[in-house]
């Protein structure tokens, strides 16, 4: 059976409405987090609730640290911090749990964002035909291309307009390769680890 679990009153900007939602994340408690694209916000719906709670972007469209501009995706880490693909601001933003302002962690225009068990962040670079991995180190993030390394095209190491992304517990990346009409599975190279000496 089907039911409406968010946006019960259709299109609009009220807390029981959405306007072109594009990204979704569901946590282990069945809370639903939605990138409410044209309302420029991230909204959370608790199970059984007909109204959402705005977690990020309450101040309308803009590029201040308490604003978003057409967010496309959202994910959470194990500490409850939000990561948002803030499309029209060309950035990925992190909101610490309960914070009213975000921190820019990358100036990458990503359509989709996900995070792995080691707090590495992955973003799909829609126009650059690639997937980036952002690795935290000393409060900063280093960036590397982990899929689509050979630019735009139809080979297995190429992408065209990647949109959705999911990273599983084994470190495999699944990418919606939208203009190649396929989903690619890319295994991330394991991190180098010193095991002796």
């Amino acid at each position: 059976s089907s039911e409406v679990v968010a946006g019960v009153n259709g299109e609009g900007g009220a807390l029981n409405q959405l306007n072109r939602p594009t990204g979704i994340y569901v946590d282990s408690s069945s809370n639903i987090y939605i990138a409410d694209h044209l309302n420029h916000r991230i909204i959370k719906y608790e199970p059984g609730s007909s109204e959402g709670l705005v977690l990020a972007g309450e101040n309308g469209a803009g590029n201040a640290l308490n604003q978003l501009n057409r967010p496309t995706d959202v994910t959470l880490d194990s500490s409850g911090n939000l990561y948002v693909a803030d499309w029209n601001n060309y950035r990925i933003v992190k909101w610490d749990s309960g914070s009213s302002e975000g921190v820019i962690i990358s100036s990458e225009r990503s359509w989709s964002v996900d995070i792995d068990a080691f707090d590495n962040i992955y973003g799909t670079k829609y126009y650059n035909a690639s997937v980036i991995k952002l690795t935290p180190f000393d409060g900063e993030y280093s960036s590397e291309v982990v899929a689509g390394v050979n630019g735009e095209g139809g080979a297995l190491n190429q992408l065209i307009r990647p949109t959705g992304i999911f990273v599983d517990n084994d470190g495999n990346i699944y990418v919606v390769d939208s203009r190649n009409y396929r989903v690619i599975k890319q295994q991330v190279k394991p991190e180098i680890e010193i095991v002796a000496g």
Side-chain angles (χ1 to χ4, degrees):
S1 73
S2 298
E3 65 177 304
V4 177
V5 294
V8 294
N9 280 359
E11 181 181 357
L15 292 177
N16 59 4
Q17 295 178 307
L18 299 170
N19 195 346
R20 294 201 191 157
T22 54
I24 187 170
Y25 177 84
V26 181
D27 69 17
S28 59
S29 300
S30 298
N31 295 304
I32 302 168
Y33 302 81
I34 299 166
D36 194 7
H37 189 65
L38 292 184
N39 282 324
H40 314 288
R41 66 189 183 185
I42 302 300
I43 193 164
K44 173 185 175 183
Y45 282 83
E46 295 179 347
S49 177
S50 62
E51 287 194 357
L53 171 68
V54 177
L55 299 180
E58 284 187 284
N59 298 301
N63 64 2
L65 292 178
N66 61 0
Q67 294 178 305
L68 296 169
N69 194 341
R70 296 190 177 204
T72 50
D73 201 16
V74 60
T75 193
L76 271 74
D77 65 18
S78 58
S79 299
N81 302 313
L82 288 173
Y83 296 82
V84 179
D86 191 10
W87 180 252
N88 268 6
N89 281 325
Y90 292 81
R91 63 190 186 184
I92 297 173
V93 186
K94 175 184 177 183
W95 263 267
D96 290 334
S97 183
S99 175
S100 61
E101 289 194 353
V103 176
I104 298 169
I105 61 171
S106 175
S107 295
E108 305 280 356
R109 190 177 202 191
S110 295
W111 184 265
S112 187
V113 64
D114 202 9
I115 190 166
D116 68 16
F118 304 103
D119 291 333
N120 298 305
I121 299 138
Y122 299 80
T124 56
K125 295 180 72 177
Y126 184 79
Y127 291 116
N128 291 6
S130 59
V131 174
I132 56 162
K133 176 183 177 184
L134 301 166
T135 304
F137 181 75
D138 260 353
E140 301 289 325
Y141 289 86
S142 63
S143 176
E144 68 175 309
V145 176
V146 293
V149 295
N150 284 334
E152 192 170 271
L156 288 179
N157 59 3
Q158 295 178 307
L159 303 168
I160 302 176
R161 303 293 192 263
T163 52
I165 189 170
F166 175 77
V167 183
D168 70 16
N169 291 334
D170 296 322
N172 298 307
I173 303 170
Y174 296 82
V175 183
V176 177
D177 188 10
S178 71
R179 296 289 174 89
N180 278 320
Y181 311 101
R182 64 188 183 185
V183 174
I184 295 286
K185 177 184 177 183
Q186 173 76 41
Q187 184 165 357
V188 177
K189 297 176 190 171
E191 300 294 328
I192 297 171
E193 179 182 358
I194 297 173
V195 293

